[in-house]
């Protein structure tokens, strides 16, 4: 095996091409992955974990790469990141007001996506289409633009009474989902929630909630040669060695002939990547 790179792992980087172009950062190195399809790859975890924020060595990783002190103090690790409708920036209790101003008090997009079926989601406007790719969406459509993370969270809670807000990652990795008419799904969802949307516009102001018209759905194709028939998931905490023939890349997953692994989950882990 030939060592390609060794360093601290971060989430895969992607570019929206047809198919999506992927690379994986390992410390100061960046390894292009698409060209490694059908190659035998070995990922070896050294046992070292470093916080993705402060860099200190840690025995355990929290919230995809943080040491415990950072997990406790950083705004990006607060519960409101998972539940944006609980954003408390306006109450003056944000752990890091500067961070909240930069990331939460910015325009957000509410979108529909098709990864393992129809779902609703939110993301900062600057994170499109990265967010869709990270979730393994085959189709996506931006439907509403709002002025803050709190507003997007409140809308998401409202919409998920009608549409799922989670991706079934196992189903997503088994193949391409059935094609959906996202424009028709958008119209149906907005019609079902028309009164609630009007109430929120009255609450936050007329210009706070903008329904996006004239936007076409985005179709995303991934570099996958074969989908696994049975999903077996690798975990560096249980087995520091992952190897197999790379059959595909989707979302933040590498698909081997021997199993799959979510690389983002192991951000901060020191990994050596080798190829045969």
């Amino acid at each position: 095996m030939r060592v390609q790179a060794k360093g601290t792992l971060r989430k895969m980087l992607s570019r929206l091409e047809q198919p999506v172009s992927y690379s994986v950062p390992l410390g100061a190195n960046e390894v292009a992955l698409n060209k490694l399809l059908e190659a035998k790859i070995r990922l070896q975890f050294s046992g070292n974990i470093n916080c993705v924020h402060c860099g200190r060595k840690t025995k355990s990783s929290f919230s995809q790469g943080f040491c415990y002190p950072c997990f406790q103090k950083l705004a990006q690790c607060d519960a409101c990141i998972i539940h944006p409708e609980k954003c408390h920036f306006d109450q003056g209790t944000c752990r890091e007001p500067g961070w909240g101003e930069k990331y939460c008090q910015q325009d957000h997009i509410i979108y529909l996506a098709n990864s393992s079926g129809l779902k609703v989601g939110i993301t900062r406007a600057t994170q499109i289409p990265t967010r869709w790719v990270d979730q393994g969406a085959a189709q996506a459509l931006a439907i509403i633009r709002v002025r803050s993370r709190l507003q997007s969270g409140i809308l998401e809670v409202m919409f998920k009474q009608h549409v799922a807000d989670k991706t079934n990652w196992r189903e997503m990795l088994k193949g391409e989902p059935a094609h959906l008419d996202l424009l028709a799904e958008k119209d149906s969802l907005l019609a079902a929630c028309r009164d609630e949307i009007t109430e929120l516009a009255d609450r936050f102001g007329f210009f706070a909630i903008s329904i996006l018209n004239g936007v076409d759905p985005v179709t995303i194709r991934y570099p996958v040669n074969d989908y696994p028939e049975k999903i077996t998931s690798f975990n560096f905490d249980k087995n520091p060695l992952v190897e197999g023939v790379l059959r595909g890349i989707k979302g933040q997953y590498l698909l081997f002939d021997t199993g799959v692994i979510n690389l983002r989950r192991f951000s901060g882990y020191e990994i050596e990547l080798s190829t045969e």
Side-chain angles (χ1 to χ4, degrees):
M1 295 289 253
R2 178 186 175 188
V3 176
Q4 298 288 339
K6 181 178 180 179
T8 301
L9 177 66
R10 296 297 182 100
K11 62 167 279 192
M12 286 190 287
L13 304 176
S14 62
R15 292 194 309 273
L16 184 56
E17 300 177 356
Q18 297 297 341
V20 174
S21 176
Y22 280 100
S23 62
V24 59
L26 289 171
N29 304 299
E30 190 175 311
V31 180
L33 292 174
N34 291 52
K35 65 181 182 181
L36 297 181
L37 283 176
E38 301 305 328
K40 186 171 183 179
I41 295 177
R42 175 182 295 163
L43 300 174
Q44 180 73 55
F45 171 42
S46 70
N48 296 322
I49 307 174
N50 293 92
C51 176
V52 295
H53 179 76
C54 72
R56 74 159 55 92
K57 194 170 183 178
T58 177
K59 291 183 178 180
S60 299
S61 175
F62 299 86
S63 190
Q64 296 180 335
F66 297 91
C67 65
Y68 190 70
C70 285
F71 174 70
Q72 287 289 93
K73 72 181 182 182
L74 295 177
Q76 59 192 297
C77 297
D78 203 345
C80 55
I81 297 301
I82 303 298
H83 301 284
E85 73 278 7
K86 297 180 180 179
C87 176
H88 46 96
F89 182 90
D90 291 343
Q91 301 172 31
T93 54
C94 182
R95 295 179 182 181
E96 298 175 276
W99 189 92
E101 185 72 41
K102 183 177 180 180
Y103 292 99
C104 298
Q105 300 303 105
Q106 302 295 328
D107 283 9
H108 277 63
I109 298 294
I110 295 91
Y111 62 85
L112 293 176
N114 180 16
S115 48
S116 59
L118 186 66
K119 73 175 289 286
V120 64
I122 67 167
T123 190
R124 293 195 313 277
T126 56
Q127 286 299 102
I128 287 178
T130 301
R131 178 65 171 166
W132 299 339
V133 172
D134 285 348
Q135 292 185 336
Q139 299 171 264
L141 174 66
I143 61 173
I144 296 179
R145 191 181 190 107
V146 295
R147 296 292 183 85
S148 71
R149 185 172 179 82
L150 173 64
Q151 294 165 2
S152 70
I154 292 172
L155 280 165
E156 183 182 39
V157 169
M158 177 182 70
F159 286 145
K160 72 181 185 181
Q161 304 305 311
H162 305 271
V163 177
D165 66 331
K166 297 288 190 299
T167 296
N168 183 326
W169 66 271
R170 289 182 177 275
E171 290 300 317
M172 183 266 289
L173 295 179
K174 286 182 178 179
E176 294 299 311
H179 184 83
L180 296 175
D181 185 341
L182 291 187
L183 290 172
E185 296 289 354
K186 167 194 171 183
D187 291 343
S188 177
L189 184 61
L190 295 182
C193 300
R194 182 176 291 113
D195 292 343
E196 293 96 326
I197 294 173
T198 299
E199 291 175 4
L200 289 175
D202 291 339
R203 173 182 169 184
F204 292 114
F206 180 77
F207 295 105
I209 299 175
S210 302
I211 295 175
L212 301 175
N213 295 310
V215 178
D216 293 326
V218 173
T219 299
I220 304 173
R221 188 164 61 87
Y222 296 89
V224 179
N225 290 344
D226 287 297
Y227 285 99
E229 295 183 5
K230 181 180 180 182
I231 303 297
T232 301
S233 183
F234 290 119
N235 185 334
F236 284 127
D237 294 325
K238 296 180 179 179
N239 187 344
L241 178 63
V242 171
E243 60 183 343
V245 175
L246 183 63
R247 307 311 301 271
I249 314 165
K250 191 175 187 182
Q252 281 290 315
Y253 284 86
L254 296 183
L255 283 60
F256 295 101
D257 62 338
T258 51
V260 305
I261 186 166
N262 181 345
L263 289 188
R264 187 173 190 174
R265 177 182 173 185
F266 299 101
S267 296
Y269 285 53
E270 185 180 56
I271 302 296
E272 181 180 88
L273 187 155
S274 304
T275 58
E276 190 172 86

